[in-house]
Amino acid sequence: MNKNYKEILNQITTFILDVDGVLTDSSVHVTPTGEMLRIMNIRDGFAIKAALESGYHVCIISGGNNEGVRIRLRNLGVTDIHLASPDKVETFKEYIELYHIQPEQVLYMGDDIPDYHVMQLVGLPVCPQDASPEIKAISKYVSHKNGGRGAVREVIEQVMKVQGKWHLYYNGKHD
């Protein structure tokens, strides 16, 4: 763990997440009709919903494009969903400009090379345990969990705990 990692958690107002390899385990189940199915972790979903209800920004930036993923994220309350993003850096810049977010306020969780350049622009680049070596090398924190197996929950919960919001949410005082 990076020595100043915990200090950075206090600045975070925004979570930006990749999908495949972060919210999923990178597996794709292909049906006979060619539909690609992904599995997402319920606890990751709970943490995303808790973050949104606690006033954090949550944004999804993914190169993939799957309507099932979009529906799942919308059901959690995520409104900023950028699928089939050809340039994650450009999408990131547009997003933070739209909401007047400073890059140092952003926790970005990615797992592979398409996330590399955008992760270099944020205050807290993080990744799942099973991320590529290049992404681990630039991450200020590597989760103890694999992608799709609770890594998102782990980092959201850490931020909310450090900021004193997890306990409020947990006790039902998040209204």
Side-chain angles (χ1 to χ4, degrees), residues 98-118:
L98 176 66
Y99 290 101
H100 308 288
I101 299 165
Q102 297 302 311
E104 60 270 11
Q105 297 173 304
V106 176
L107 179 154
Y108 185 104
M109 182 174 264
D111 73 303
D112 210 347
I113 301 304
D115 301 305
Y116 187 88
H117 294 294
V118 70

Side-chain angles (χ1 to χ4, degrees), residues 2-92:
N2 188 300
K3 188 173 184 177
N4 64 359
Y5 165 70
K6 291 286 186 183
E7 295 168 15
I8 297 171
L9 295 179
N10 280 311
Q11 305 177 149
I12 301 303
T13 64
T14 305
F15 299 99
I16 300 181
L17 310 168
D18 180 29
V19 174
D20 292 321
V22 172
L23 287 168
T24 76
D25 68 0
S26 297
S27 297
V28 177
H29 301 275
V30 182
T31 68
T33 61
E35 184 179 6
M36 292 187 275
L37 306 174
R38 291 162 174 84
I39 297 173
M40 295 179 140
N41 186 289
I42 292 296
R43 291 185 183 119
D44 287 346
F46 175 82
I48 289 170
K49 192 172 174 85
L52 287 165
E53 291 178 2
S54 296
Y56 294 92
H57 296 279
V58 177
C59 175
I60 305 301
I61 302 177
S62 177
N65 189 15
N66 180 283
E67 194 56 30
V69 168
R70 185 183 310 278
I71 291 167
R72 167 69 177 147
L73 294 167
R74 280 191 183 146
N75 287 340
L76 293 173
V78 180
T79 56
D80 295 296
I81 305 168
H82 304 275
L83 302 181
S85 178
D87 184 345
K88 290 186 177 193
V89 169
E90 186 61 32
T91 303
F92 165 75

